[in-house]
Amino acid sequence: MEQYIIKGGVPLHGEVEIGGAKNAALGILAAAIMTDDEVLIENLPDVRDVNVMLEAMSQIGVKVERLTPHSVMLCGANIGDVNIEYEYIKKIRASYYLLGALLGKYKKAEVPLPGGCNIGSRPIDLHLKGFKALGAKVSIRNGSICAHAEHLKGCHLFLDTVSVGATINIMMAAAMAEGRTVIENCAKEPHVVDVANFLNSMGANIKGAGTDVIRIVGVEKLHMTEYSIIPDQIEAGTFMFAAACTGGDVLVKNVIPKHLEATISKLLEIGCRVEEFDTEVRVIAPKRLSCANVKTLPYPGYPTDMQPQIGVALSMAEGTSIVTESIFENRFKYLDELARMGATSKVEGNTAIITGTDKLTGARISAPDLRAGAALVIAGLSAEGVTTIDDIVYIQRGYECFDEKLRGLGAKIECISSQREARKFMLMTG
Ligand code: UD1
């Protein structure tokens, strides 16, 4: 089992390049099978979730040609099967995007029900409500969602909860339905816009992505395209908090600063200096971070995927902070791990009260999930002494070359798989 070993206390300095957005990539890969033509996708992040998605796609007959680690040519002309295997959905929930894509294109799909996830219960009732409103018959059989329709017909739909997944899934199916669909109370996340732009580049007619209301006029056929995925706002935000927590000064390159507004606003509030350029953001940490209150909200609010990172910052800040998690109920597990490093917090329902400590100290801890794992790496980088982190497979789901990029900023971090490597690291780092 691989672990990260970290010798903390080094302020991060220098420049880091951000990759393509994982969450946009997952939607775009699924949408790419909706044409029989070849589709070229660039700025693809080379992370585990993306690679599993590509495997799931090739299992149903999609031609997947990885041209470079960051570009892939796909062709969905010879899809022989509309059933996705449980093995893939178990590894990566977002393979449920294939439901919307297959239903739109072939008017039928079968995808296993995604299981529970460790950040909270994640229902998909809204996805199904949308498919039904488009005229599909949806049933659950032997643990799978089976959706089929003679014809998909455009509809007017209100989503009860703002959901990224439901917005993207319904938008894909509606892109190839007959007539006009209006989806209200949509998610406005940058990756919803990116999937819409991608579909439009294949000939879809989608307007309003990025606002509350998306209007779609269905088309019969989609065509070839070449498309480059937007930069990953969460990877960028994670490096920005790594700079803030370690007392560093980091230029984060290849970003869209507009997508980072909520993160930047909180970094300013906790005392950082932030300089914005066209495609870069520089974060300069203060001597000591200040406390702040934060509540996660759908975009453009503060992202739930950035909650553990700010939680780590606040655990070292001066004063007491209140963090409210309003999207997923089970996203405070990292605080138990942080407590082992000397942090003080109390969780009540969806609120955590965090009292900052002067200094975290290294400990052996585990990554509870993807973003919490990345946040704990930041804690290790900021702490005095050595931290080892187990279960880093979660982190590798969404961060490409995380340890390598951090080393590029001066961090003392290695990915190890034996005690011998741990001893070697200790000798090297003193
Ligand atoms: C996506 C992101 C994830 C991020 C989340 C919120 C991907 C692959 N994942 O997840 O990283 O944390 O957005 O920004 O893009 N809900 C329902 N019924 C549904 C669907 C959702 O009640 O049918 C609820 C969820 O329980 C949650 C809220 O809606 O409380 C938002 O979830 P949603 O936006 O759907 O998250 P995901 O698309 O799963």
Side-chain angles (χ1 to χ4, degrees):
M1 278 298 171
E2 287 184 329
Q3 295 174 311
Y4 284 141
I5 187 163
I6 302 166
K7 175 86 182 280
V10 182
L12 300 187
H13 280 280
E15 300 179 357
V16 62
E17 191 87 28
I18 298 306
K22 169 188 82 83
N23 287 347
L26 295 171
I28 286 172
L29 290 176
I33 66 162
M34 296 179 73
T35 171
D36 282 345
D37 294 346
E38 288 198 320
V39 170
L40 174 67
I41 297 167
E42 295 184 308
N43 204 31
L44 187 73
D46 187 11
V47 293
R48 200 159 291 197
D49 274 9
V50 162
N51 296 330
V52 172
M53 184 72 168
L54 288 171
E55 272 178 51
M57 289 165 62
S58 82
Q59 171 253 327
I60 56 167
V62 179
K63 191 169 137 216
V64 176
E65 210 180 325
R66 196 68 173 259
L67 304 176
T68 70
H70 298 134
S71 63
V72 68
M73 184 75 89
L74 298 169
C75 183
N78 295 312
I79 293 178
D81 198 350
V82 291
N83 302 353
I84 307 299
E85 278 176 20
Y86 181 62
E87 189 197 329
Y88 298 108
I89 200 98
K90 197 173 64 177
K91 282 194 197 148
I92 165 196
R93 268 179 71 81
S95 46
Y96 61 37
Y97 283 144
L98 291 167
L99 198 55
L102 289 167
L103 184 63
K105 187 179 182 193
Y106 298 110
K107 315 300 173 225
K108 58 180 180 186
E110 192 173 325
V111 174
L113 262 175
C117 175
N118 45 11
I119 59 171
S121 88
R122 296 174 83 174
I124 59 159
D125 54 310
L126 291 172
H127 303 229
L128 305 188
K129 174 178 163 177
F131 299 146
K132 285 180 190 159
L134 287 167
K137 293 218 164 17
V138 181
S139 58
I140 311 286
R141 257 186 284 134
N142 308 116
S144 286
I145 306 155
C146 308
H148 67 96
E150 285 290 309
H151 303 280
L152 287 179
K153 278 214 157 53
C155 64
H156 195 124
L157 180 71
F158 183 90
L159 298 178
D160 316 332
T161 307
V162 177
S163 159
V164 172
T167 303
I168 292 178
N169 230 342
I170 298 166
M171 184 169 77
M172 287 195 290
M176 294 189 82
E178 285 167 23
R180 184 179 295 270
T181 297
V182 179
I183 315 173
E184 297 206 50
N185 201 27
C186 293
K188 296 181 275 198
E189 266 71 1
H191 48 292
V192 173
V193 181
D194 211 33
V195 178
N197 287 342
F198 172 74
L199 283 163
N200 284 341
S201 78
M202 291 202 296
N205 184 344
I206 301 172
K207 295 203 170 82
T211 74
D212 285 345
V213 186
I214 298 183
R215 294 167 201 279
I216 303 160
V217 179
V219 295
E220 249 177 61
K221 236 177 151 180
L222 297 170
H223 55 68
M224 65 84 61
T225 187
E226 295 181 1
Y227 195 83
S228 181
I229 294 170
I230 51 165
D232 196 312
Q233 80 195 84
I234 306 299
E235 186 194 11
T238 302
F239 279 100
M240 290 159 76
F241 269 98
C245 293
T246 58
D249 176 351
V250 172
L251 184 68
V252 183
K253 298 172 80 167
N254 185 33
V255 298
I256 300 175
K258 173 85 189 145
H259 294 168
L260 293 163
E261 272 176 351
T263 300
I264 291 173
S265 145
K266 282 294 158 194
L267 283 165
L268 292 171
E269 199 178 329
I270 62 174
C272 294
R273 229 174 80 204
V274 181
E275 293 172 6
E276 287 182 45
F277 306 95
D278 286 350
T279 58
E280 294 164 358
V281 176
R282 180 178 172 198
V283 177
I284 305 152
K287 278 212 162 46
R288 173 104 199 254
L289 298 169
S290 327
C291 58
N293 297 336
V294 59
K295 182 176 182 181
T296 63
L297 286 168
Y299 188 85
Y302 188 86
T304 174
D305 285 355
M306 288 296 303
Q307 187 261 105
Q309 297 87 325
I310 196 168
V312 166
L314 298 176
S315 73
M316 292 183 276
E318 192 158 9
T320 297
S321 306
I322 299 174
V323 178
T324 308
E325 172 55 61
S326 74
I327 315 280
F328 294 114
E329 70 269 25
N330 204 3
R331 271 203 131 161
F332 285 131
K333 280 190 286 186
Y334 70 95
L335 288 173
D336 291 337
E337 302 297 309
L338 265 189
R340 299 168 55 76
M341 303 177 73
T344 309
S345 64
K346 188 170 182 336
V347 175
E348 275 175 19
N350 70 343
T351 301
I353 301 153
I354 301 177
T355 302
T357 174
D358 260 356
K359 210 164 249 166
L360 297 175
T361 51
R364 179 159 183 180
I365 52 175
S366 294
D369 62 67
L370 165 61
R371 305 304 173 185
L376 290 172
V377 170
I378 298 178
L381 295 170
S382 318
E384 200 176 78
V386 174
T387 296
T388 47
I389 305 185
D390 293 327
D391 296 335
I392 62 169
V393 63
Y394 285 118
I395 303 171
Q396 293 161 339
R397 280 183 39 202
Y399 290 87
E400 182 177 339
C401 304
F402 196 37
D403 51 330
E404 197 181 311
K405 288 187 183 185
L406 287 166
R407 278 195 299 277
L409 296 170
K412 292 183 177 167
I413 177 171
E414 283 294 340
C415 181
I416 56 161
S417 42
S418 69
Q419 274 307 309
R420 211 172 124 247
E421 286 174 351
R423 278 194 298 274
K424 191 171 152 206
F425 175 84
M426 303 287 262
L427 275 173
M428 303 279 287
T429 53

